[in-house]
Amino acid sequence: MIINHPILGPRDAQEFVYLGDANLINRPDGMTAGIEAFHDYLYNRDNPAGEHRELWYHEQGDRSWLVVTRNTVTHEILKVELARDVAKAQGRSK
Amino acid sequence: MSQSNRISGGQIDRSKTFRFTFDGMPYTGHPGDTLASALLANGVRLMGRSFKYHRPRGPISAGSEEPNALVQLRSGARQEPNTRATVAELFDGLQASSQNAWPSLKLDAMAINDKLNSFFTAGFYYKTFMWPAAFWEKLYEPIIRRAAGLGALTREEDPDEYDKGFAHCDLLVIGAGPAGLMAALTAGRAGARVILADEDFRMGGRLNAESLEVGGRAGAEWASAVVAELMSMPNVRMMARTTVVGAFDHGIYSVVERVSDHLAVPEAGKPRQTLWRIYSKRAILAGGATERPIAFENNDRPGIMLAGALRSYANRWGVAVGDRVAVFTNNDDGLRTARDLQSKGVDVAAVIDSRDGGDLLPGIRHLQGAQVIDSAGRLGLKSVTVRLANGKTETIACTALGVSGGWNPNVNITSHHRSRPEWREDISAFVPGAGGPANLTSVGAAGGALSTHGALATGQAQAIAALADLGFTATADTLPQAEDAPIAVSPLWYVHEGKGRAWIDQQNDVTVKDVKLAHQENFTSVEHLKRYTTLGMATDQGKTGNVLGIAVMAELTGQSIPATGTTIYRPPYTPVAMGTLAGRSRGKEFKPFRLTPSHKWASEQGAIFVEVGNWLRTQWVPKPGETTWRESVDREVLATRKSVGICDVTTLGKIDIQGTDAGAFLDRVYSNTFSTLAVGKCRYGLMLREDGMVFDDGTTARMGDNEYVMTTTTANAVTVFRHLEYCRQCLWPDMDVQIISTTEAWAQYSVAGPNARKLLQKIVDQDISDAAFPYMGAGNITIGGMRARLFRISFSGELAYEVAVPTRYGDALIRKLAAAGAEFDAVVYGTEALGVMRIEKGHVAGGELNGQSTALNMGLGKMVSKKKDSIGMVLSQREGMNSADGYRLVGVKPVDPNGSISAGSHFMEIGAPVELASDGGWLTSKVYSPHLGCDIALGYLKAGDQKIGRRMRAVNFLTKTDTEIEIVSPHFFDPEGERLRG
């Protein structure tokens, strides 16, 4: 597979490490959310046959975490974003 | 034997003669020959024995689809089994031998299987060797494997090199027949970067094997001219002897180039084969088509081959497979074979044409509405029996028979993304279906255009279309004149007459009867059919037999062929050698070692090294007279605790963390607090995963207000860094914190023992007295004016420091430390002594940090602060992870000081039966403590904190030991920690 890195352009997927569902960005606040919320966050995943937003880490490259929107059936990659930008757009800060 | 079957013409160089042997017999051939063509030229038709029945077999094809002519090439370390004689390029001195026959190819003892054929039907092995189960592995399987027909591996190391290559192009063209050449020419002339790959050593595809004309001259000549033009283009890369074996995502193709297979020994510096990864923007499959046989009784005798192959041997290699030939066909392409052979002066006995009507071939006995129903000749064809249109039978003497049941487009690569081929009624064949690899189109015969004109036209059109996508303007030059005749195939899959065996898949000895049996036993789905009968398995992957098998099943079930379906082809297209896949990753290069800065010095001292992750670390350093590793390790431990020891700890992960939020960031990733740590101090940190299990531990020092230095375990150096990047970028993107791994930047040594300070003070420029540099102090120092870092931390439990210098000075520093330590009898200790000392102190490491243990399990529960949010804090509070009878870290000693215990033993109560229900936990790490004079261990014991002082047993199922033990505190040595504060 080839991932079109937003900064570095097309890179072979071998340079990346896969983590999983990009929903991992939405970590609850440990001081307010309880065990239930963390349980859902950590373990409950959709497993779509189709479009999937997922986290990839450019370990053999610039160390960017990326949010890759990939069709799990065709492996077509529809969108690649910096995870930092996605996280900020989703309201994450410090 | 001379080349008795050599006739005129062909693309071989008759000015040179190659000598080669087959089963020890000497023969001759010419450059341009394959092993098969040269053997056939010498009148050798018998080249192998079949897999199951040991039937005598010869080649049925002239290409990579060959199921029968599997031979062993070369000798000694370069011996290679299961190669196809039909694609093995002849070279001078080639030694080839047959396989699956004993004592000889002509007299094979296992041919008894053929007489017992009624037992060896589909599912025979499944049905027969069911019982008793224990016999399978030890008795049945070895016997079956020995009898089954594959070659033997040499036990020697392959002397050749294999390589990997990476190439990029606008357009990859797969196959250099008329369609592929036309596509490459069109794209090359338009200026696109083109790679043209063909598995053959001579480009041109079928044009080399036909008497057809292209543009008014011989097809092979036209092909040579196009190849020459393409070779002259700097934007075109021509890769002959190169097979595209797999299609992967986003235009990536896996490609095997046989760089040196055609040479006795590779040229100096050249690999035997190269595995290429080709990145293409567009790809065109011009892989041609494979002819399929018609099944009839005894259709597997040497001399019976595909009609197109018979023609190839005559036209391309100047070989008449037999002195008198016949053709059995259901289509017009078969007629070509008869015409070509006759025009070359070969005696054509008859054409047996299953179709009725149509024009009769002039000057050839053309039997319409006839079928071949049987053949004769034990080691080679002597005659065929024909059922004539009038119902009579006739025996026709012939030594070669060409069979044509039509042509199957080579759709294989289009299926690699699970696209199913589609049936096309007009050519009675499967063609590429929808949903194949993106940006791949099929042209020529591979796409179902079976005429030469069709190949040229589709090759040109698809190249123009692909290039237009990429912004190139390619022109449609006038196509050269070429034949455009329809194949006029009238399906005949198998001859229904006869009670004997009619082969479908010759490689796996699958007959029409086997398919009928599968149907009878309800294995009617194509996937079941394949697995029950082995149809389409092994080295040829059913290239000649698959469609035939499906057609027979379709007839039996009364369904159409498209409704019956087809199995999906998977990579690789042709077999790939393991060495090619491995490339340069073999021997030492399979897993390269990383060496620590003290490695050279340690080697000079005679150190014994151990692999730790990718690193080689000093395990212990034997002194003269020491005969066992324990002697050395005991000495290193005692000397360190008595005076001072030095250990290379460079392999621990080191991460510099800087920024105004660095402290707050560490509070989030560590379960304990770091923002409150004073500048110039370090602290032990515990890192959890989000699920509450312990991830890693280490000490982290605060070097400045906004500057920390973290250490990780050796094993997790990479994963902790990845995790920190994740936290920084994905969870808290606005935190002002930057991180960089400095594991490779610093050489770091531990100096431990009562004299550690005295030793270091000799080389450190600053005052490091207890007052100036107290326990858990950290700071930037200088050694002889050179920048360095010093941390007063201890893993051994002694007064200890870790001193770091830039890596390039690591060798100098270890030498300086050793010299400065001489007056204190300083020792260098390895990982074994390190392990002894940390277990004596009850520190957790690899065996305890197993990814399944919590801080509470380790006795570190209080380190998880609930006053702040940190990774893993919430889920570490789950009920099941906090039960009072959960695992707790304990120390273990044998009751008898001479008793032996082992890591991995399980805790059981005295008197309890040895069974799972008695299991109370396990011993994680064990060493011999020279201070306590006995074995000591750490372990996770259920409610261990409530069992200190209790006697139990350590039971090990593997070493069959059962030892009485005492549960003690994990802090065996200096539990108050007075020594490290000294």
Side-chain angles (χ1 to χ4, degrees):
Chain A
M1 290 204 300
I2 292 171
I3 293 173
N4 198 8
H5 192 298
I7 300 169
L8 300 173
R11 312 295 311 179
D12 194 301
Q14 285 193 343
E15 296 173 5
F16 294 81
V17 172
Y18 177 79
L19 179 64
D21 194 330
N23 208 34
L24 282 168
I25 288 172
N26 303 316
R27 182 182 184 273
D29 179 355
M31 299 314 287
T32 54
I35 288 173
E36 284 295 315
F38 266 87
H39 189 275
D40 281 352
Y41 162 71
L42 193 62
Y43 297 112
N44 283 347
R45 296 270 193 284
D46 289 332
N47 184 21
E51 273 188 41
H52 188 229
R53 278 159 59 85
E54 50 201 26
L55 286 164
W56 291 74
Y57 175 52
H58 199 201
E59 187 148 79
Q60 309 295 327
D62 74 340
R63 294 149 35 201
S64 288
W65 277 93
L66 305 179
V67 173
V68 175
T69 307
R70 182 177 65 103
N71 185 314
T72 57
V73 178
T74 63
H75 288 188
E76 187 185 2
I77 290 177
L78 304 150
K79 200 174 184 184
V80 184
E81 303 154 277
L82 289 175
R84 179 190 292 275
D85 294 344
V86 172
K88 287 170 88 156
Q90 288 172 201
R92 298 201 70 85
S93 177
K94 286 193 173 186
Chain B
M1 199 185 288
S2 66
Q3 298 178 37
S4 57
N5 287 11
R6 193 72 83 173
I7 55 175
S8 64
Q11 294 135 32
I12 50 169
D13 178 3
R14 290 171 199 254
S15 69
K16 288 194 191 118
T17 298
F18 285 161
R19 292 177 188 284
F20 71 101
T21 63
F22 180 61
D23 280 345
M25 288 284 290
Y27 299 101
T28 59
H30 299 294
D33 263 327
T34 62
L35 176 61
S37 73
L39 283 172
L40 290 168
N42 284 280
V44 178
R45 289 179 295 178
L46 176 63
M47 296 187 200
R49 288 276 175 167
S50 74
F51 191 78
K52 199 158 79 172
Y53 299 123
H54 289 251
R55 298 264 295 186
R57 292 280 168 83
I60 73 161
S61 77
S64 64
E65 69 270 34
E66 177 58 35
N68 281 342
L70 298 185
V71 296
Q72 212 150 266
L73 295 184
R74 306 160 193 262
S75 61
R78 286 196 171 85
Q79 177 184 308
E80 191 182 0
N82 307 329
T83 61
R84 289 145 295 164
T86 50
V87 291
E89 205 173 333
L90 195 68
F91 56 82
D92 196 40
L94 174 66
Q95 291 172 277
S97 55
S98 58
Q99 358 184 100
N100 200 30
W102 184 86
S104 77
L105 197 52
K106 286 187 180 163
L107 201 89
D108 179 8
M110 289 302 288
I112 187 74
N113 282 7
D114 193 36
K115 305 281 182 227
L116 302 172
N117 71 77
S118 54
F119 295 102
F120 288 98
T121 51
F124 167 75
Y125 296 105
Y126 299 137
K127 291 167 184 164
T128 311
F129 297 105
M130 292 279 287
W131 184 90
F135 276 30
W136 176 255
E137 200 176 318
K138 289 204 164 60
L139 184 66
Y140 296 148
E141 190 182 333
I143 290 172
I144 294 168
R145 284 206 185 281
R146 212 171 306 133
L150 295 174
L153 283 172
T154 164
R155 302 262 164 188
E156 294 171 56
E157 193 183 342
D158 190 334
D160 295 331
E161 292 195 322
Y162 298 81
D163 212 343
K164 301 253 167 108
F166 300 83
H168 298 255
C169 61
D170 295 316
L171 181 68
L172 169 66
V173 181
I174 304 162
L181 286 175
M182 200 64 217
L185 188 65
T186 306
R189 284 176 177 166
R193 284 193 306 164
V194 178
I195 293 176
L196 175 59
D198 193 286
E199 64 178 354
D200 206 331
F201 54 90
R202 186 184 176 97
M203 290 193 171
R206 281 300 302 178
L207 291 179
N208 291 327
E210 302 289 356
S211 57
L212 297 166
E213 290 196 341
V214 176
R217 55 177 164 168
E221 270 178 44
W222 179 86
S224 296
V226 173
V227 168
E229 182 178 344
L230 288 167
M231 297 281 266
S232 72
M233 294 182 187
N235 54 320
V236 176
R237 181 175 193 145
M238 302 287 276
M239 299 179 79
R241 302 187 176 98
T242 301
T243 309
V244 177
V245 293
F248 296 89
D249 291 306
H250 306 158
I252 298 173
Y253 290 84
S254 181
V255 176
V256 175
E257 182 184 12
R258 287 170 297 279
V259 182
S260 308
D261 277 19
H262 61 297
L263 303 172
V265 175
E267 287 173 33
K270 289 268 181 79
R272 174 79 180 269
Q273 297 188 356
T274 299
L275 182 66
W276 290 90
R277 171 184 282 244
I278 294 184
Y279 298 81
S280 69
K281 290 178 184 159
R282 293 290 181 277
I284 284 179
L285 173 64
T290 300
E291 199 169 19
R292 62 195 180 214
I294 300 167
F296 59 88
E297 199 170 326
N298 293 312
N299 62 334
D300 64 330
R301 297 193 194 280
I304 301 178
M305 59 172 63
L306 294 162
L310 205 57
R311 199 156 82 228
S312 298
Y313 286 117
N315 288 329
R316 176 170 172 183
W317 286 289
V319 174
V321 175
D323 52 359
R324 187 172 152 84
V325 304
V327 171
F328 179 25
T329 186
N330 67 0
N331 64 79
D332 277 358
D333 192 69
L335 305 183
R336 249 182 219 154
T337 301
R339 277 198 304 262
D340 281 8
L341 286 166
Q342 193 185 44
S343 73
K344 289 207 149 239
V346 180
D347 180 8
V348 178
V351 172
I352 301 100
D353 190 336
S354 64
R355 299 169 300 172
D356 285 313
D359 293 339
L360 285 172
L361 283 169
I364 293 177
R365 190 171 176 226
H366 188 171
L367 305 169
Q368 292 180 326
Q371 297 184 359
V372 176
I373 58 171
D374 201 356
S375 73
R378 198 175 68 85
L379 297 174
L381 183 67
K382 285 182 178 156
S383 67
V384 292
T385 309
V386 177
R387 173 77 62 201
L388 300 167
N390 64 9
K392 292 184 178 164
T393 58
E394 179 183 337
T395 300
I396 297 174
C398 57
T399 48
L401 176 73
V403 182
S404 182
W407 290 77
N408 291 324
N410 289 330
V411 301
N412 306 49
I413 279 173
T414 68
S415 288
H416 288 182
H417 292 178
R418 292 197 62 78
S419 159
R420 283 187 187 274
E422 288 165 8
W423 185 252
R424 232 177 79 185
E425 202 63 47
D426 62 324
I427 56 170
S428 291
F430 283 104
V431 294
N439 299 321
L440 173 77
T441 49
S442 304
V443 300
L450 296 179
S451 73
T452 311
H453 172 77
L456 297 171
T458 52
Q460 184 186 63
Q462 290 302 328
I464 291 170
L467 292 188
D469 284 355
L470 303 176
F472 289 92
T473 309
T475 49
D477 298 330
T478 310
L479 287 173
Q481 195 68 33
E483 63 81 26
D484 195 18
I487 183 164
V489 60
S490 175
L492 169 67
W493 304 105
Y494 70 101
V495 172
H496 289 59
E497 196 170 339
K499 290 189 177 137
R501 284 166 296 163
W503 270 263
I504 291 174
D505 177 337
Q506 298 203 19
Q507 181 149 95
N508 293 291
D509 271 340
V510 179
T511 64
V512 172
K513 274 186 177 174
D514 292 319
V515 178
K516 286 181 174 170
L517 185 66
H519 172 249
Q520 192 182 312
E521 298 187 354
N522 208 25
F523 292 102
T524 54
S525 127
V526 286
E527 301 289 351
H528 288 155
L529 172 66
K530 171 178 177 172
R531 283 153 188 87
Y532 193 58
T533 64
T534 68
L535 171 73
M537 294 188 179
T539 67
D540 68 335
Q541 288 288 295
K543 288 188 177 68
T544 55
N546 262 2
V547 174
L548 192 50
I550 292 162
V552 174
M553 182 55 82
E555 187 183 296
L556 294 168
T557 57
Q559 285 183 308
S560 67
I561 290 171
T564 304
T566 172
T567 53
I568 292 182
Y569 294 100
R570 286 172 297 202
Y573 177 66
T574 49
V576 180
M578 294 301 284
T580 310
L581 295 173
R584 295 194 176 271
S585 299
R586 65 189 243 192
K588 220 170 68 180
E589 279 69 43
F590 175 69
K591 191 184 171 213
F593 292 127
R594 304 175 74 185
L595 303 181
T596 63
S598 68
H599 188 85
K600 184 160 177 281
W601 179 84
S603 301
E604 291 164 15
Q605 310 306 309
I608 305 296
F609 296 102
V610 62
E611 282 179 55
V612 181
N614 291 330
W615 296 92
L616 278 190
R617 291 186 74 177
T618 297
Q619 195 170 12
W620 69 85
V621 189
K623 290 277 184 237
E626 290 174 348
T627 52
T628 68
W629 68 273
R630 259 279 308 283
E631 276 181 79
S632 309
V633 173
D634 287 356
R635 172 183 49 75
E636 289 170 13
V637 171
L638 292 169
T640 300
R641 295 224 188 276
K642 183 169 170 237
S643 178
V644 60
I646 303 161
C647 181
D648 190 332
V649 294
T650 301
T651 61
L652 294 176
K654 306 177 208 69
I655 302 170
D656 271 24
I657 300 169
Q658 299 186 18
T660 54
D661 291 317
F665 179 72
L666 288 172
D667 285 350
R668 297 272 177 80
V669 298
Y670 273 132
S671 62
N672 50 328
T673 306
F674 277 80
S675 54
T676 56
L677 185 66
V679 173
K681 296 289 274 185
C682 16
R683 182 170 285 168
Y684 174 75
L686 190 69
M687 201 178 282
L688 306 184
R689 297 190 314 231
E690 195 68 273
D691 64 3
M693 298 295 173
V694 173
F695 176 20
D696 200 62
D697 70 345
T699 51
T700 288
R702 189 166 197 174
M703 308 300 280
D705 278 341
N706 301 321
E707 188 186 346
Y708 291 79
V709 174
M710 174 188 281
T711 64
T712 75
T713 60
T714 299
N716 287 331
V718 171
T719 47
V720 167
F721 188 76
R722 184 187 302 160
H723 173 69
L724 296 187
E725 285 287 12
Y726 162 74
C727 292
R728 192 175 80 88
Q729 296 177 40
C730 300
L731 301 183
W732 305 297
D734 283 337
M735 272 194 174
D736 174 27
V737 54
Q738 332 308 328
I739 66 174
I740 191 162
S741 168
T742 60
T743 304
E744 289 82 7
W746 296 92
Q748 194 152 321
Y749 300 103
S750 169
V751 181
N755 288 320
R757 183 184 298 125
K758 285 186 199 155
L759 191 163
L760 275 173
Q761 191 65 78
K762 286 174 70 180
I763 63 166
V764 173
D765 300 339
Q766 291 75 17
D767 175 17
I768 57 166
S769 65
D770 190 51
F773 212 94
Y775 177 59
M776 294 309 261
N780 294 307
I781 54 156
T782 55
I783 295 176
M786 187 180 68
R787 75 190 171 108
R789 285 168 166 176
L790 190 66
F791 310 92
R792 191 171 157 191
I793 51 180
S794 177
F795 198 47
S796 57
E798 296 300 322
L799 164 68
Y801 300 81
E802 287 187 11
V803 58
V805 292
T807 301
R808 62 189 176 282
Y809 301 118
D811 181 70
L813 182 59
I814 189 72
R815 289 172 200 277
K816 204 173 176 82
L817 286 169
E823 67 173 281
F824 308 108
D825 295 324
V827 294
V828 165
Y829 64 91
T831 53
E832 291 293 335
L834 186 76
V836 171
M837 288 189 277
R838 72 99 183 165
I839 290 170
E840 286 179 338
K841 288 295 292 180
H843 291 314
V844 293
E848 293 77 38
L849 296 172
N850 63 349
Q852 299 172 309
S853 304
T854 63
L856 187 60
N857 295 149
M858 294 176 195
L860 304 172
K862 288 188 179 132
M863 286 189 70
V864 183
S865 166
K866 297 183 182 65
K867 292 182 187 145
K868 63 179 181 75
D869 185 10
S870 67
I871 301 282
M873 182 270 282
V874 172
L875 290 180
S876 74
Q877 296 171 41
R878 283 182 284 179
E879 196 183 337
M881 291 159 71
N882 289 278
S883 61
D885 63 349
Y887 293 119
R888 297 291 183 275
L889 189 72
V890 295
V892 175
K893 286 199 300 194
V895 171
D896 172 3
N898 296 317
S900 173
I901 49 179
S902 55
S905 299
H906 283 251
F907 291 111
M908 293 190 188
E909 298 287 354
I910 289 165
V914 178
E915 59 184 30
L916 197 59
S918 307
D919 183 20
W922 70 100
L923 275 63
T924 51
S925 310
K926 169 261 169 180
V927 291
Y928 173 80
S929 166
H931 288 97
L932 287 103
C934 66
D935 278 359
I936 59 170
L938 298 176
Y940 286 128
L941 173 62
K942 283 177 188 164
D945 53 337
Q946 298 153 47
K947 294 179 182 168
I948 304 294
R950 185 193 294 232
R951 287 194 175 186
M952 296 184 75
R953 287 147 63 212
V955 180
N956 193 317
F957 299 103
L958 292 176
T959 58
K960 309 252 186 272
T961 52
D962 190 333
T963 311
E964 194 173 341
I965 52 167
E966 184 185 350
I967 309 301
V968 297
S969 156
H971 309 292
F972 294 93
F973 183 79
D974 185 27
E976 304 305 319
E978 286 159 10
R979 297 172 72 90
L980 46 84
R981 291 188 173 80

